[in-house]
Amino acid sequence: MQVPNEGHVAALAFPFGTHATPLLTLVRRLSASAPNLKFSFINTSKSNQKVFSKIKPNDYQNIKPFNVDDGVPEGHVFSGDPLEAVELFLRAMPENFKNGLEGAVAETGAKITCLLTDAFFWFGADMGAEMGVPWVAFWTAAPCSISVHMYTDVVRNTLKGKEENGDETLDFIPGMSAIRAKDLPAGIVHGKLEAPFNIMVHKMGQTLPRATALAINSFEEINPTITNDLKSKLKMVLNIGPFDLAWPPKSFSDESGCIPWLDNHDKASVAYLSFGSLLTPQPNELIALAEALETQRVPFLWSFRDSSKLQLLEGFLERTSTLGKVVPWTPQLQVLEHPSVGVFITHAGWNSVSESIARGVPMICRPFFADQGLNSRLVEEVWKIGVSVEGGNFTKSATTKALELVFSSGKGGEMRENIGNLKQKAKIAVGSDGSSTKNFTSLVKVVAGCENA
Ligand SMILES: [O-]c1cc(O)cc2[o+]c(-c3ccc(O)cc3)c(O[C@@H]3O[C@H](CO)[C@H](O)[C@H](O)[C@H]3O)cc12
Ligand SMILES: O=c1ccn([C@@H]2O[C@H](COP(=O)(O)OP(=O)(O)O)[C@@H](O)[C@H]2O)c(=O)[nH]1
């Protein structure tokens, strides 16, 4: 594809959770398709160090990181509340990004020709308008969750006064008839509606119609009804994923020897556990998980990021040293790809759910916050490719029941068939004539400033 324009794209990253990593992957994909473009990746220093440390300098020749203020005062002592860093950052926006943009233009000598931001940053609409450039919003979660944020006012008005136990369904929103009020992210109908993060996400839902394009790390066929509804409300909706299928990493690191360990196990026999980059279950749930795995003698590979909590499992780790393996981090894509992995016990973060679908691994979901409840509901009730933990948190009995369901029941076989079908649809979407491939071509044209994208 001919992309004639010299251009300078500013990418603005949300530095928490797994947001900056997929945005950098997208920027790298765009840079590979449009080598004439310059990219400035504007993010906090801490998040830039994390995401750029995972790739080789040769992999980002036209991409330059710029660091912005994270809003944390000099000498600040954190309370331990994970929301504190997020709210300090939100207070620094959008001034910190305006300063970042000025720095990028000054250093490169090239004015910005396209604004590509995490979809959270609703102010991209005003910034793009002031600069006279397209604003492309990038949503790193599922189409379903962006939809509920666009319908927030409708949800609030429709459910007002009706919500008792959260079982009310959103059948008044296209594609949402299986979703309950209790599955929604906080800040829509439950939680602190006026908390800074929830105000930001509410404004996002109201402002997205001003975006030139909304890019999503998903594929149209995963939920056609929601995709078509979003297309009826937005200028351009471009599902361009799953990224890890569309643009697979060339290499990976397996410092803990996960793959050789999996090689010694039978097909579909291992439970893989991971709760993303932010979360570790509470002690009682960790112990319940361990008891279920040990009693059921299920081989397990456990990505356990908070080493300070490992001592909770001391006896368990000794007794199960020949049954399971606990590591601080795994090459998750390659682990899910391995034929020995039979189930993914997950928090249902979108990247993890998408990666599990792309590799055909059924899930046991234990959502904690944000969009995880939504994703878990889609897994269990819409796509029928896994289960949510009964009662909402890990107990020995609920975990045992979920493991038996996936590994040993007819329903488990149905889940494997259903996720195999979704995996096939994902592969077609990223194929040479697939919907995600076509959408990515359109996105390159928008970002490169080509007319009639
Ligand atoms: O890192 C985060 C810190 C925080 O205080 C709030 C969130 O919220 C969300 C979020 C909220 C609402 C929604 O509809 C989607 C996401 C965060 O997004 C994370 O996105 C991941 C995909 O990139 C994944 O879906 C995780 O489950 C989300 O936590 C992060 C934070
Ligand atoms: O041991 C691990 C655990 C997680 N991940 C990756 O971390 C991301 C987690 O993103 P997700 O959206 O699931 O959750 P979040 O981190 O935002 O809570 C996914 O891409 C996983 O492949 C990984 O590579 N190794």
Side-chain angles (χ1 to χ4, degrees):
M1 167 181 43
Q2 281 307 311
V3 178
N5 305 51
E6 286 281 332
H8 181 191
V9 181
L12 276 53
F14 179 73
F16 304 96
T18 304
H19 277 244
T21 296
L23 179 63
L24 183 54
T25 301
L26 174 55
V27 166
R28 291 173 60 207
R29 282 184 74 186
L30 289 166
S31 179
S33 297
N36 297 342
L37 295 179
K38 287 184 181 62
F39 290 85
S40 292
F41 196 85
I42 305 176
N43 187 18
T44 63
S45 169
K46 181 179 177 183
S47 179
N48 264 339
Q49 283 169 7
K50 180 181 172 186
V51 298
F52 280 90
S53 67
K54 294 178 189 171
I55 56 180
K56 302 182 178 74
N58 198 39
D59 288 341
Y60 58 94
Q61 288 169 338
N62 287 351
I63 304 165
K64 186 169 180 51
F66 287 88
N67 298 332
V68 293
D69 177 21
D70 59 9
V72 179
E74 195 69 35
H76 180 80
V77 178
F78 282 96
S79 64
D81 176 355
L83 203 49
E84 187 178 2
V86 178
E87 295 194 342
L88 286 170
F89 178 74
L90 298 189
R91 272 189 230 142
M93 295 190 317
E95 287 318 308
N96 60 346
F97 281 117
K98 287 179 178 174
N99 295 335
L101 288 167
E102 287 169 12
V105 171
E107 186 152 331
T108 62
K111 73 181 182 68
I112 304 298
T113 55
C114 180
L115 204 51
L116 168 63
T117 80
D118 190 291
F120 283 157
F121 301 158
W122 54 272
F123 50 79
D126 295 332
M127 277 186 178
E130 286 158 24
M131 296 156 71
V133 302
W135 170 45
V136 175
F138 173 48
W139 184 243
T140 63
C144 177
S145 47
I146 197 78
S147 180
V148 294
H149 294 302
M150 290 189 65
Y151 278 97
T152 291
D153 293 329
V154 172
V155 174
R156 289 177 177 171
N157 294 334
T158 308
L159 294 184
K160 191 183 295 176
K162 289 182 189 168
E163 188 181 339
E164 283 92 32
N165 54 14
D167 282 332
E168 298 73 27
T169 54
L170 276 57
D171 41 17
F172 49 90
I173 300 178
M176 300 280 187
S177 56
I179 304 301
R180 306 162 300 180
K182 67 173 68 168
D183 302 317
L184 295 173
I188 293 181
V189 285
H190 58 77
K192 299 176 185 169
L193 306 196
E194 294 311 307
F197 183 89
N198 296 330
I199 289 173
M200 173 184 72
V201 179
H202 185 203
K203 280 189 173 179
M204 169 191 75
Q206 295 171 315
T207 312
L208 279 174
R210 294 174 56 192
T212 304
L214 171 69
I216 306 176
N217 182 15
S218 187
F219 58 104
E220 296 190 354
E221 295 76 12
I222 203 167
N223 197 320
T225 306
I226 291 179
T227 296
N228 292 332
D229 184 54
L230 288 174
K231 286 182 176 178
S232 72
K233 291 183 166 31
L234 301 174
K235 291 175 185 168
M236 195 184 289
V237 180
L238 301 172
N239 282 273
I240 54 174
F243 279 10
D244 47 287
L245 284 188
W247 213 64
K250 302 187 191 81
S251 63
F252 68 94
S253 165
D254 184 19
E255 292 163 6
S256 302
C258 298
I259 303 307
W261 184 85
L262 286 170
D263 288 343
N264 292 328
H265 287 78
D266 295 338
K267 181 174 166 51
S269 65
V270 174
Y272 169 57
L273 299 91
S274 168
F275 303 101
S277 63
L278 292 171
L279 292 161
T280 300
Q282 287 304 309
N284 62 313
E285 293 196 62
L286 292 173
I287 291 163
L289 262 173
E291 288 174 345
L293 292 166
E294 183 175 13
T295 306
Q296 296 299 309
R297 303 305 296 166
V298 173
F300 60 88
L301 174 62
W302 193 336
S303 172
F304 200 107
R305 51 182 304 280
D306 184 351
S307 56
S308 70
K309 291 187 177 170
L310 266 179
Q311 86 279 356
L312 294 161
L313 303 179
E314 260 170 351
F316 163 75
L317 294 175
E318 281 67 35
R319 293 191 306 273
T320 60
S321 61
T322 58
L323 178 69
K325 183 177 181 69
V326 179
V327 298
W329 196 251
T330 73
Q332 181 161 303
L333 300 183
Q334 291 71 27
V335 166
L336 289 170
E337 190 77 34
H338 199 286
S340 297
V341 174
V343 68
F344 181 14
I345 301 177
T346 173
H347 67 317
W350 180 245
N351 292 290
S352 293
V353 168
S354 174
E355 290 158 8
S356 207
I357 288 172
R359 287 157 187 79
V361 180
M363 285 161 268
I364 294 173
C365 301
R366 194 290 191 209
F368 289 86
F369 83 121
D371 60 329
Q372 296 155 19
L374 261 181
N375 299 336
S376 183
R377 184 71 175 172
L378 291 166
V379 164
E380 181 171 48
E381 289 299 327
V382 177
W383 301 320
K384 301 187 187 298
I385 57 176
V387 291
S388 305
V389 172
E390 199 169 79
N393 47 43
F394 292 118
T395 60
K396 183 179 177 181
S397 59
T399 306
T400 300
K401 184 175 176 183
L403 286 167
E404 286 173 343
L405 196 61
V406 175
F407 273 127
S408 325
S409 77
K411 279 196 77 173
E414 289 169 21
M415 293 175 204
R416 269 183 288 281
E417 184 180 355
N418 294 338
I419 203 165
N421 294 335
L422 264 187
K423 172 183 174 180
Q424 188 54 24
K425 287 180 178 177
K427 289 186 129 177
I428 292 168
V430 300
S432 56
D433 196 32
S435 58
S436 291
T437 304
K438 290 174 182 171
N439 287 337
F440 183 71
T441 300
S442 298
L443 181 63
V444 172
K445 291 177 181 174
V446 168
V447 167
C450 300
E451 296 307 317
N452 310 321

